[in-house]
Amino acid sequence: MQGFPLLTLLIFIPIVGMIVVLLLPKNADNNVRYTTLGVTALQLVLAAVMMLNFDYSAGGIFEASSFQFIEKVRWIEIQNVAFLGTVKIDYFLGVDGLSAPLILLSTIVFFIATLSAWTIKKSPKGFFAMYLLLNAATMGVFVSLDFFLFFVFWEVMLLPMYFLIGIWGGPRKEYAAIKFFIYTMLGGIFMLITMIGLYFSATELLADGTRAYTFNLLALMDQSNYLADGILSASNPENWRMLAYIGLFAAFAVKIPMFPFHTWLPDAHVEAPTPISVVLAGVLLKLGTYGILRISFPIFPDITRELMWYIGLFGVINIVYGALAAMAQKDFKKLIAYSSISHMGYVLLGMASLSSTGLNGAIFQMFNHGTITAMLFLIVGVIYDRAHTRGLNDFGGLANQMPVYTGFVTVAFFAAIGLPGLSGWVSEALVFVGAFGVESIRTLTIIGMLGILLGAGYMLWTLQRVYLGELPDKWKNLKDLDKRELAMLVPLAIITVVLGIFPSIVLDIMTTSVNSLVEFLATTLN
Amino acid sequence: MDFTSLHLSLSNILPEISVSLFLLIIVSYDLIFSEDKKLIPYIALLGLVVTGYFVVANMGLTASAFAVTSVNSGGMVAIDPFSSYFKLVIIIASIIVVFFSMSSKEIKDIYKRSGEYYALMYGMLLGMLLMVSAIDLILIYLAVELLSLASYVLAGFTKLRDRNSEASLKYIIYGSAASGMMLFGISILYGLTGVTNLYEISTALQTTQINLYTLSFSVILIFVGLGFKISAVPFHFWTPDVYEGSPLPITAYLSVASKAAALALLVRFVRTTFVGSVDSNGFWVLFSLFDWQTLLIVISLFTMTLGNLTALWQKNLKRLFAYSSIAHAGYLLLGLVVLSDTGIFAMMMYLLAYLIMNLGAFYVVMLISDRSGSESIDDINGIGFTTPLLAVPLTIFLVSLAGIPPTFGFIAKLNLFIAVIDANLMSVLIIALLNVVISVYYYSRILKHMYFHKVDESTLTIKVSKIDTTIVLVLAILIIYFGIFSTSIYEFVKNSVKFF
């Protein structure tokens, strides 16, 4: 695979697709759809090729040599800029066990969401153009190894999301779109401050033997690169590392979303069209936790250890609060949105353990949450397309009317609850085992386990309210799933079941990297 | 007096000479062909191109003009990369504004008087070109007045609406007060030092004992005059009314070119007069007579905060962009706040980005308001679907104004913030960043009107001529291009941070 720009293709195929979509004539809606489908299918193939050539024994994380599919080109380089010295920014891409599962997940979710977007009637051309731009930016975030590049892709995601919610959303779409925009922008600003602070604190050895300030994430992880008096250098007794860490964490926390930054999520979800909910829950929420693992943890290992209890605390708050809020919902989609907050809490708790088991569980939970929640939102979409309402109390007895559909609902619900044999169970178990093993967050873990109970509570209650009992007359003519909907749900259900039985398919991808991350966190600056 | 080196001086001020000549050509053409004015804009364009050529030819030059050993050894006019850069920026802005005027309905309506219009524009241009390179208090004042007088007239030039005259009158009243104060400040400074050349003033300030209070008083008075032109708070009150009342091409011109000229003058004034030396990190060592930094921090932060907060409530697009341009004046001043070459570098870069994005945004607003007859934000409801050729470029300009990557606006803001962090002004940085978040709100409101509204009978469909489409698209593509490939811009600006 040497020399084949796989990651660049992964990012720029959707951009090319977007341009094609924009150039297509106005009434060629089907061509637009097939172009998008083709692009996402191509990405899926690329991701498969990537996995086939993936070296399971390479760690990555902080070591440039063990990253795979590396592409490194000097993007901006200027000598002697007004006394800043050389300004250089690299176009630096690479994959390790941390990003590979998430890239795989994104390609799957984007492909399925394209199918789900088939029914979009209002200006499909604009929709798919924005969708592809979002796709490109997401891939960019997952493969960037330069902070500047990462930030650019991170911010590029903002605008397509704003339009996708604001134009194609539900009744209160404008409010939801603006809220999402402002929250994420505020988070982005925190990230920007930390980024510039890091830039001025560390230098990187260039090929010609001189040193220059750097945005290179791997160089920023190496403590020997830091200047003695940098504002974010650990060796500087008056450093701002704690504040920078919190700022950066807040930027990522908005995306997760972590309590108390979560309030945009239910609004955005409820107002977003189904495919966007799927992408939002399936992929975009993972960007927050991915960012923490990729940037916050290895660059600030000392602060991470210091604050791990608080990370765990917020994780547990997310779990319990999300579950309680979900229970109180009358709107099906809002319920799933809050359950999603709850499930992202598991990821945080697993990360807080800083142990190999916990982190494996956290990343696996990210993957599983992506597939399961995507399924749940598709399920809501199916019923909303038919009945044009999402009120939990408006339904009942759908099991008899739509048996195939209810079958998938059962798989998804039980996977979300964490029934053994389905994928959700494996990751939740790993998270709890990992977190329980760490003395300092043991109490938190026990409280967090409450989430399983609450989760079972609201999920089963929903199952009962919507699918069991007596069917109201007005829903007597609802049709069961059609072929397109089956094509979306079947692969996700298969993934859920197969990963429940053979979790090592995904776990093996990440284990080496997780181990090296855990070791790095334990030894650096200790 | 000694005029032996006069021919050398003249060759150094070729751009100014070219502007003056073309000014005369326009006026005489206007007199000779009193019926047919079609060619005038093209003459104006030709003049700008010729002037631009002379500027580019002088790009690397460092020299001064009109130095007379017995009277004024420092000279009147400095030619250095810094001034050439600003001249180029001003000329590019002027070229775009000429295109503006050619397609503006407001200016087409006064076709008969277009000779005067372009002549006055050239008057502004001459004033601005002199402002960016003036190093003598007398020339500074003359240049500022030349710019002001021409722009007072242009602000009320069309006389079609009452607001025009209102704008013009307000501008004159505020403007004459401000320049009166400036003149007072200049006279005090002259009284204190006995010289008018900035370099000689600097020497005088360092060598002789000078009363700090008198000096501060005069400096603040001079700052009033320049702050007025930059529309820095608290000298900004004229801005929204004048911007709203003036014909749109003039609004655009005022918001970019005259701001650039005043900033350049301010930078040169501070840099030449008060900076003792530049240390190895590029920071300016002021001989501590007057605390520029505190003054500039306060002014800059107030300017951006007030501009952004007031912009939140605006329903008129011109007013909204007027307040947004006040906010951007605050960001631009941020580059001077840090008092370092890095800051000036960032400011110059920001100015170029601001030029492209702000002129682009005004261009689109003009095309829309020519069609709708008003500038209400409701005019743009739904045009994202009916007129994507205008809506998409406007979106790019707004994204860039908000400083979101991958646009030139982001690169420019990033450099400003880098300069501020470099100077360790953390609290300033945080306020500036919060301002960015606020600004996102009102820029996104425009997007909301364009895209989130249903298309119905009231939605405008705007037919855009090929040339307008081309200009807008070129500006939008430049914004994206420089946002991704900024190396060439870095190089260009870096080489321009050199003073006489």
Side-chain angles (χ1 to χ4, degrees):
Chain A
M1 292 305 286
Q2 210 60 39
F4 180 67
L6 189 130
L7 302 180
T8 301
L9 286 177
L10 207 55
I11 301 173
F12 288 98
I13 285 178
I15 301 262
V16 173
M18 178 182 86
I19 294 167
V20 171
V21 163
L22 287 176
L23 293 180
L24 283 171
K26 241 184 190 151
N27 42 10
D29 288 352
N30 259 331
N31 293 350
V32 167
R33 294 189 182 107
Y34 281 112
T35 310
T36 314
L37 194 67
V39 165
T40 45
L42 206 55
Q43 282 184 302
L44 205 55
V45 172
L46 281 175
V49 170
M50 182 185 84
M51 289 325 298
L52 288 176
N53 290 284
F54 193 79
D55 177 2
Y56 285 64
S57 63
I61 303 293
F62 60 93
E63 204 180 30
S65 56
S66 57
F67 270 92
Q68 304 176 45
F69 308 102
I70 290 181
E71 291 168 40
K72 192 170 182 183
V73 182
R74 193 52 49 85
W75 179 16
I76 295 172
E77 176 173 334
I78 310 105
Q79 311 286 338
N80 305 322
V81 172
F83 308 97
L84 286 176
T86 304
V87 170
K88 62 125 213 139
I89 297 167
D90 287 331
Y91 175 78
F92 185 14
L93 310 178
V95 169
D96 63 356
L98 199 59
S99 44
L102 295 170
I103 293 169
L104 190 61
L105 171 75
S106 329
T107 49
I108 295 171
V109 171
F110 270 107
F111 179 74
I112 288 173
T114 313
L115 289 176
S116 150
W118 219 258
T119 49
I120 295 273
K121 292 274 182 302
K122 184 176 174 185
S123 177
K125 197 172 139 178
F127 180 89
F128 284 106
M130 286 291 120
Y131 180 81
L132 287 170
L133 183 59
L134 179 69
N135 182 338
T138 315
M139 297 298 164
V141 171
F142 281 135
V143 298
S144 298
L145 292 178
D146 188 281
F147 207 161
F148 189 87
L149 196 62
F150 181 95
F151 182 79
V152 168
F153 283 125
W154 183 271
E155 293 282 292
V156 167
M157 280 189 310
L158 236 150
L159 219 61
M161 271 314 281
Y162 174 74
F163 285 125
L164 287 168
I165 299 174
I167 301 179
W168 289 274
R172 288 205 313 155
K173 56 192 182 180
E174 290 171 18
Y175 173 74
I178 294 257
K179 198 167 176 181
F180 172 82
F181 199 45
I182 300 286
Y183 268 56
T184 323
M185 188 74 199
L186 195 64
I189 292 287
F190 286 130
M191 195 193 294
L192 182 67
I193 302 181
T194 311
M195 184 176 97
I196 303 178
L198 284 169
Y199 179 71
F200 274 110
S201 304
T203 56
E204 185 190 7
L205 194 63
L206 299 182
D208 61 0
T210 56
R211 300 193 78 91
Y213 290 130
T214 183
F215 285 116
N216 184 330
L217 283 175
L218 306 183
L220 291 172
M221 290 170 199
D222 185 350
Q223 293 302 323
S224 64
N225 282 334
Y226 281 80
L227 304 166
D229 56 349
I231 47 171
L232 295 181
S233 305
S235 52
N236 180 359
E238 290 169 6
N239 65 55
W240 293 52
R241 282 172 79 85
M242 178 68 88
L243 218 63
Y245 187 85
I246 294 171
L248 191 59
F249 200 88
F252 293 130
V254 170
K255 268 268 168 28
I256 298 176
M258 186 184 86
F259 179 89
F261 304 111
H262 66 283
T263 62
W264 64 268
L265 183 80
D267 285 315
H269 264 311
V270 171
E271 303 305 337
T274 306
I276 295 315
S277 284
V278 170
V279 170
L280 190 57
V283 179
L284 298 192
L285 301 191
K286 275 84 214 164
L287 292 168
T289 36
Y290 172 76
I292 294 174
L293 289 172
R294 168 68 70 218
I295 298 178
S296 300
F297 274 23
I299 291 185
F300 301 95
D302 47 339
I303 315 285
T304 303
R305 285 193 301 269
E306 214 171 305
L307 294 182
M308 67 184 268
W309 189 82
Y310 295 94
I311 300 174
L313 175 70
F314 278 109
V316 170
I317 293 178
N318 255 34
I319 295 175
V320 177
Y321 169 86
L324 287 174
M327 258 185 189
Q329 300 308 318
K330 294 196 175 62
D331 181 308
F332 203 159
K333 216 169 175 188
K334 239 179 177 161
L335 178 130
I336 306 297
Y338 277 107
S339 85
S340 179
I341 294 177
S342 177
H343 284 133
M344 288 310 282
Y346 295 122
V347 180
L348 279 174
L349 184 64
M351 278 160 46
S353 74
L354 302 186
S355 70
S356 181
T357 324
L359 278 173
N360 268 313
I363 302 170
F364 195 32
Q365 170 73 4
M366 278 153 76
F367 190 91
N368 291 335
H369 176 259
T371 49
I372 297 169
T373 317
M375 234 172 130
L376 290 171
F377 277 114
L378 288 171
I379 283 165
V380 182
V382 165
I383 198 170
Y384 184 71
D385 282 347
R386 287 169 172 66
H388 302 290
T389 172
R390 292 183 301 249
L392 286 168
N393 297 327
D394 297 347
F395 294 101
L398 289 182
N400 292 328
Q401 183 68 28
M402 309 166 72
V404 181
Y405 170 59
T406 311
F408 285 105
V409 170
T410 320
V411 174
F413 274 30
F414 281 110
I417 295 169
L419 188 79
L422 296 172
S423 63
W425 179 75
V426 183
S427 51
E428 282 174 31
L430 284 173
V431 164
F432 282 123
V433 170
F436 196 80
V438 180
E439 187 89 37
S440 58
I441 56 170
R442 189 164 288 163
T443 332
L444 286 173
T445 313
I446 295 170
I447 302 171
M449 286 178 182
L450 215 69
I452 301 186
L453 202 66
L454 293 170
Y458 62 78
M459 281 299 184
L460 293 178
W461 193 27
T462 309
L463 199 60
Q464 187 222 326
R465 278 189 287 181
V466 179
Y467 299 96
L468 306 178
E470 210 168 308
L471 184 71
D473 285 342
K474 57 177 171 176
W475 306 134
K476 286 266 157 72
N477 51 1
L478 292 186
K479 290 200 177 64
D480 211 336
L481 299 179
D482 60 24
K483 279 192 191 122
R484 183 182 59 88
E485 288 159 343
L486 277 175
M488 301 186 295
L489 288 170
V490 168
L492 290 174
I494 291 176
I495 291 173
T496 316
V497 175
V498 170
L499 288 185
I501 304 166
F502 304 108
S504 56
I505 297 174
V506 171
L507 282 173
D508 284 351
I509 305 174
M510 61 180 95
T511 308
T512 320
S513 293
V514 167
N515 286 340
S516 77
L517 176 62
V518 168
E519 200 195 318
F520 182 77
L521 288 177
T523 51
T524 313
L525 287 175
N526 209 343
Chain B
M1 269 196 264
D2 169 23
F3 279 120
T4 47
S5 61
L6 188 64
H7 66 285
L8 289 176
S9 296
L10 288 180
S11 73
N12 283 341
I13 58 158
L14 279 176
E16 285 83 354
I17 294 175
S18 140
V19 170
S20 318
L21 278 180
F22 274 91
L23 174 63
L24 293 177
I25 294 175
I26 290 173
V27 172
S28 18
Y29 184 93
D30 190 37
L31 290 174
I32 298 166
F33 303 94
S34 52
E35 286 309 310
D36 186 20
K37 317 278 190 200
K38 272 199 208 81
L39 271 179
I40 290 179
Y42 297 102
I43 298 176
L45 272 183
L46 178 71
L48 288 169
V49 172
V50 171
T51 315
Y53 167 77
F54 286 128
V55 172
V56 173
N58 273 354
M59 209 67 199
L61 196 69
T62 307
S64 78
F66 303 117
V68 180
T69 334
S70 52
V71 186
N72 181 346
S73 56
M76 298 286 266
V77 179
I79 290 90
D80 49 15
F82 175 78
S83 71
S84 299
Y85 177 85
F86 274 90
K87 281 179 190 169
L88 201 60
V89 164
I90 289 166
I91 286 168
I92 293 170
S94 310
I95 291 176
I96 299 173
V97 170
V98 171
F99 279 115
F100 248 95
S101 314
M102 280 159 74
S103 69
S104 162
K105 196 162 146 279
E106 283 170 292
I107 306 301
K108 275 183 198 146
D109 288 347
I110 48 147
Y111 174 72
K112 286 265 171 254
R113 295 192 291 141
S114 50
E116 298 161 49
Y117 176 83
Y118 288 104
L120 284 166
M121 229 182 92
Y122 261 67
M124 278 178 80
L125 178 62
L126 182 59
M128 290 188 284
L129 292 192
L130 287 172
M131 263 166 91
V132 298
S133 47
I135 46 168
D136 190 284
L137 288 178
I138 295 173
L139 187 65
I140 287 175
Y141 182 72
L142 285 177
V144 171
E145 276 302 277
L146 181 55
L147 166 64
S148 303
L149 289 174
S151 46
Y152 297 152
V153 183
L154 281 175
F157 194 72
T158 55
K159 295 193 287 193
L160 295 175
R161 286 180 280 192
D162 291 345
R163 310 189 302 188
N164 269 173
S165 324
E166 183 196 325
S168 184
L169 192 63
K170 269 194 179 141
Y171 201 14
I172 291 181
I173 293 172
Y174 278 113
S176 14
S179 60
M181 287 202 212
M182 186 172 166
L183 188 58
F184 189 32
I186 286 175
S187 64
I188 297 176
L189 194 55
Y190 175 68
L192 285 173
T193 55
V195 278
T196 54
N197 181 283
L198 293 185
Y199 290 92
E200 290 171 7
I201 291 175
S202 174
T203 321
L205 290 179
Q206 288 179 75
T207 47
T208 48
Q209 193 71 30
I210 288 191
N211 184 322
L212 179 59
Y213 295 104
T214 327
L215 178 71
S216 308
F217 184 58
S218 86
V219 166
I220 286 173
L221 286 176
I222 295 175
F223 187 78
V224 170
L226 296 177
F228 169 80
K229 281 265 167 274
I230 304 172
S231 66
V233 172
F235 321 113
H236 69 285
F237 291 101
W238 60 278
T239 317
D241 292 331
V242 172
Y243 280 17
E244 192 190 347
S246 310
L248 239 157
I250 297 305
T251 306
Y253 205 32
L254 287 176
S255 77
V256 175
S258 88
K259 210 169 261 186
L263 262 175
L265 180 49
L266 180 62
V267 170
R268 189 182 292 282
F269 181 62
V270 177
R271 167 84 203 236
T272 328
T273 319
F274 294 90
V275 176
S277 60
V278 180
D279 75 8
S280 60
N281 289 323
F283 284 100
W284 299 350
V285 184
L286 303 179
F287 40 92
S288 60
L289 278 169
F290 179 78
D291 189 0
W292 274 103
Q293 193 157 42
T294 317
L295 175 79
L296 287 168
I297 285 177
V298 172
I299 299 269
S300 152
L301 291 184
F302 268 103
T303 306
M304 65 177 88
T305 312
L306 188 128
N308 277 324
L309 287 179
T310 326
L312 289 178
W313 318 117
Q314 300 308 320
K315 294 219 158 48
N316 178 304
L317 280 176
K318 259 173 154 185
R319 273 189 101 80
L320 192 148
F321 280 111
Y323 282 109
S324 126
S325 88
I326 294 179
H328 282 278
Y331 299 135
L332 283 165
L333 279 174
L334 214 51
L336 184 56
V337 159
V338 294
L339 297 178
S340 73
D341 282 358
T342 320
I344 299 304
F345 166 79
M347 177 213 268
M348 286 161 73
M349 191 141 171
Y350 197 91
L351 192 71
L352 193 61
Y354 174 72
L355 164 97
I356 304 177
M357 59 203 185
N358 212 43
L359 285 182
F362 269 120
Y363 209 110
V364 177
V365 170
M366 180 194 76
L367 294 174
I368 294 167
S369 74
D370 275 354
R371 173 74 173 70
S372 69
S374 72
E375 293 112 15
S376 157
I377 198 167
D378 290 322
D379 290 348
I380 59 168
N381 284 352
I383 66 159
F385 295 99
T386 58
T387 321
L389 271 181
L390 288 185
V392 172
L394 183 56
T395 310
I396 293 172
F397 299 135
L398 291 170
V399 167
S400 179
L401 283 164
I404 298 171
T407 57
F408 194 13
F410 166 69
I411 298 283
K413 275 215 175 71
L414 182 76
N415 276 296
L416 269 184
F417 296 148
I418 282 183
V420 175
I421 289 193
D422 193 29
N424 239 328
L425 298 167
M426 285 306 182
S427 42
V428 175
L429 176 79
I430 287 171
I431 297 177
L433 287 171
L434 287 179
N435 264 291
V436 173
V437 178
I438 299 173
S439 73
V440 164
Y441 181 78
Y442 62 82
Y443 291 129
S444 72
R445 212 164 55 112
I446 302 179
L447 296 184
K448 189 187 93 176
H449 279 273
M450 285 200 295
Y451 294 100
F452 295 0
H453 276 267
K454 278 217 179 70
V455 178
D456 54 27
E457 307 84 61
S458 66
T459 308
L460 293 172
T461 311
I462 297 154
K463 287 220 170 58
V464 197
S465 72
K466 282 223 173 66
I467 187 156
D468 291 334
T469 320
T470 318
I471 293 170
V472 171
L473 280 180
V474 164
L475 292 176
I477 289 168
L478 281 181
I479 288 283
I480 300 282
Y481 180 81
F482 289 141
I484 299 172
F485 305 101
S486 42
T487 308
S488 52
I489 288 292
Y490 266 103
E491 288 287 351
F492 176 51
V493 180
K494 182 192 88 188
N495 293 329
S496 300
V497 195
K498 289 191 189 97
F499 296 88
F500 166 60

